[in-house]
Amino acid sequence: MSLNVPFVNLNNGQQFPIFGLGTWKSKPGEVTQAVKDAIDAGYRHIDCAHVYGNEAEVGAGIKAKIDEGVVKREDLYITSKLWNTYHRPDLVEPAIKTTLKNLGLEQLDLYLIHWPFAFKEGDSLFPEKDGKTEFSDVDYVDTWKAMEQLVKKGLTKSIGISNFNHEQINRLLESAEIKPVTNQVEVQPYLNQQKLIDFCKSKDITITAYSPLGSPDRPWAKPGDPQLIDDPKLKELAQKYKKTPAQILLRYEVQRGLITIPKSVTKSRIQQNIEIFDFELSADDVKYIDTFDCKGRVCAFNTAQEHKYYPFNIEY
Ligand SMILES: NC(=O)C1=CN([C@@H]2O[C@H](COP(=O)(O)OP(=O)(O)OC[C@H]3O[C@@H](n4cnc5c(N)ncnc54)[C@H](OP(=O)(O)O)[C@@H]3O)[C@@H](O)[C@H]2O)C=CC1
Ligand SMILES: CC(=O)C(C)=O
């Protein structure tokens, strides 16, 4: 079934669906079904990462739908991400191979450097000493060189970055042979990211918007923290358009030309979230939602703040 999800053109001549399924926090016991429900609902793009700890179960959902004949591999667009402990150039190819094995795939559509900063190499994904994260000083420019080899070897069709600021992108572009096709960053009305979006557009790099619903299930949310999805102004807009608050949030992203990847493991929400291509927000309402911005970042990775490549110490 196709719900006419538009495609976005990438700077390497390929295309990617503007809408996909997020899988962070989707428990191994529920994500296989979520992926199956999503594919049945018309999703063709799935956002994964080694650090989410569920790639084998995501892969089981993909395999089930291919085996049933619902989709072919070439209909799907699968993204994964290189974790911070594998930035050292010699660790990059083994890392993508682990991901491919877990997902049960021969090739990824897109592989991203998950964060610009590296962690100490080793068995732990979150190495710590005396209660502090142990860093590695591998330069993301060197990691990028190894990422380029993955395209040349056919292990992924495209490569990109995630959580990079504009200075880091400029620095990467100075020596990149292959340009990143996307920068996957948090974008939602409380953090509308207009400056970073404009900058990436000027470099022909798409933006993939993560946490588009404000990540209400983020593990560090405290009782009483503001929840975007419950914002009364958003609820008013939802009534006006006879849509849900989630659909307004997702429509806001795609109408700005951003690829968006809401996570859900709930069948009715998976269905609801893709039903955003049959209405349009007025230009005035998009501008109104822009005014919600309050520098309200939900995914700040504070434990890496002291790393020299921490991306959020400058404005954008
Ligand atoms: N590159 C990076 O560093 C990052 C990437 N990401 C990617 O982006 C994806 C999305 O971001 P994420 O932070 O997960 O958060 P989202 O903003 O997508 O929010 C997910 C939460 O919203 C709930 N939800 C989903 N649909 C609806 C709906 N229609 N109505 C009400 N609630 C709804 C989900 O509940 P339920 O599942 O129970 O239905 C879940 O609690 C991630 O899963 C991951 O793939 C995210 C963060 C960082
Ligand atoms: C969710 C995610 O991708 C993080 C925290 O890196």
Side-chain angles (χ1 to χ4, degrees), residues 21-26 30 46-49 52 81 83 112-115 161-163 184-186 188 209-218 220 228-229 244-247 250 261-270 272-273 298-299 301:
L21 180 75
T23 61
W24 174 41
K25 307 170 264 70
S26 301
E30 48 193 24
I46 302 171
D47 183 77
C48 316
Y52 301 163
K81 314 186 192 90
W83 186 239
L112 310 177
I113 301 184
H114 203 145
W115 290 87
I161 51 184
S162 175
N163 297 300
Q184 183 179 121
V185 291
E186 179 178 342
Q188 37 83 8
Y210 74 62
S211 303
L213 309 176
S215 200
D217 57 346
R218 61 194 183 276
W220 46 85
L228 173 66
I229 194 106
T244 66
Q247 288 169 323
L250 298 171
I261 48 172
K263 170 261 178 185
S264 179
V265 291
T266 311
K267 186 173 181 176
S268 57
R269 289 173 169 175
I270 289 170
Q272 177 194 124
N273 292 349
V298 296
C299 202
F301 217 136

Side-chain angles (χ1 to χ4, degrees), residues 198-241:
D198 290 344
F199 171 80
C200 286
K201 198 170 178 197
S202 77
K203 302 290 180 194
D204 201 12
I205 295 170
T206 62
I207 291 279
T208 303
Y210 74 62
S211 303
L213 309 176
S215 200
D217 57 346
R218 61 194 183 276
W220 46 85
K222 293 193 256 358
D225 279 356
Q227 286 289 18
L228 173 66
I229 194 106
D230 298 327
D231 189 313
K233 298 191 296 268
L234 185 66
K235 287 188 177 164
E236 269 179 38
L237 281 170
Q239 278 173 0
K240 172 174 167 183
Y241 285 93

Side-chain angles (χ1 to χ4, degrees), residues 47 79-82 87 110-116 140-141 143-144 147 158-173 176 178-185 196 199-200 203 205-208 210:
D47 183 77
T79 302
S80 185
K81 314 186 192 90
L82 177 79
H87 278 209
L110 176 59
Y111 197 48
L112 310 177
I113 301 184
H114 203 145
W115 290 87
Y140 54 82
V141 167
T143 308
W144 189 253
M147 295 285 284
S158 300
I159 48 175
I161 51 184
S162 175
N163 297 300
F164 276 51
N165 67 37
H166 82 285
E167 288 179 1
Q168 293 170 330
I169 296 170
N170 268 334
R171 188 167 167 263
L172 192 73
L173 291 177
I178 300 179
K179 260 185 155 189
V181 297
T182 201
N183 186 20
Q184 183 179 121
V185 291
L196 186 60
F199 171 80
C200 286
K203 302 290 180 194
I205 295 170
T206 62
I207 291 279
T208 303
Y210 74 62

Side-chain angles (χ1 to χ4, degrees), residues 90-156:
D90 62 297
L91 299 177
V92 171
E93 185 173 328
I96 195 174
K97 285 186 167 161
T98 299
T99 273
L100 286 169
K101 188 165 177 241
N102 286 339
L103 287 167
L105 302 176
E106 301 279 313
Q107 185 188 47
L108 287 180
D109 296 276
L110 176 59
Y111 197 48
L112 310 177
I113 301 184
H114 203 145
W115 290 87
F117 45 78
F119 290 170
K120 186 181 170 217
E121 301 75 17
D123 290 339
S124 170
L125 297 179
F126 293 90
E128 267 192 29
K129 196 172 175 193
D130 303 329
K132 284 189 129 187
T133 305
E134 289 189 281
F135 299 151
S136 155
D137 61 4
V138 178
D139 187 337
Y140 54 82
V141 167
D142 296 328
T143 308
W144 189 253
K145 292 277 150 228
M147 295 285 284
E148 292 176 333
Q149 292 306 314
L150 304 180
V151 178
K152 292 178 185 165
K153 290 186 176 176
L155 294 166
T156 182

